[in-house]
Amino acid sequence: QVQLVESGGGSVQDGGSLTLSCAASGDTSSTNSMGWFRQAPGREGVAEREGIATIVSDGTTIYADSVKGRFTISKDIAKNTLYLQMNSLKPEDTAMYFCAAGRWDRPKPHWYLSFRYFTWWGQGIQVTVSS
């Protein structure tokens, strides 16, 4: 089992920045991919989570078009911590943000931002951007 705990959320003004962290514990050696998802207000269920950034074991990063150029995903292997640096935040970035991890063998491109291919999830943390 892998446990994921997000931190760093909160409220920020339009154009501001936040950094989310996700501390991983447990059998982290069983994972080789980690990502960030978000779920807009009023949307329920895992299937409504939008994949926004993923990092895989070789360091490759993948971003959704909606955040490309504004958000940066990174990982500190020694600390077992995943980060999401969010700059130029917009009100439409308001959502619950989730950290997720998976174990992939020969992943296909459509896996990278799909909730279907992540096994372990954090509880989520709220990010609110006001105009």
Side-chain angles (χ1 to χ4, degrees), residues 15-46:
S17 298
L18 279 176
T19 299
L20 302 182
S21 300
C22 172
S25 60
D27 188 18
T28 56
S29 63
S30 64
T31 68
N32 60 4
S33 58
M34 295 192 77
W36 289 98
F37 288 71
R38 65 186 182 186
Q39 192 159 357
R43 299 200 171 194
E44 300 292 332
V46 176

Side-chain angles (χ1 to χ4, degrees), residues 39-124:
Q39 192 159 357
R43 299 200 171 194
E44 300 292 332
V46 176
E48 294 295 330
R49 293 179 187 176
E50 173 194 12
I52 56 173
T54 292
I55 186 167
V56 296
S57 57
D58 66 358
T60 299
T61 56
I62 303 94
Y63 296 93
D65 288 344
S66 57
V67 305
K68 200 172 294 182
R70 301 189 297 124
F71 291 9
T72 303
I73 189 172
S74 62
K75 184 178 179 182
D76 186 326
I77 296 173
K79 294 183 178 179
N80 275 333
T81 300
L82 182 72
Y83 300 98
L84 185 68
Q85 173 67 44
M86 304 186 292
N87 298 325
S88 302
L89 282 161
K90 306 173 183 179
E92 51 263 44
D93 293 317
T94 294
M96 186 73 77
Y97 283 72
F98 295 87
C99 171
R103 173 72 190 183
W104 296 344
D105 294 317
R106 293 190 291 271
K108 295 178 172 53
H110 69 274
W111 293 16
Y112 294 139
L113 297 176
S114 173
F115 71 92
R116 291 182 172 87
Y117 301 98
F118 288 82
T119 304
W120 299 281
W121 293 85
Q123 292 299 305

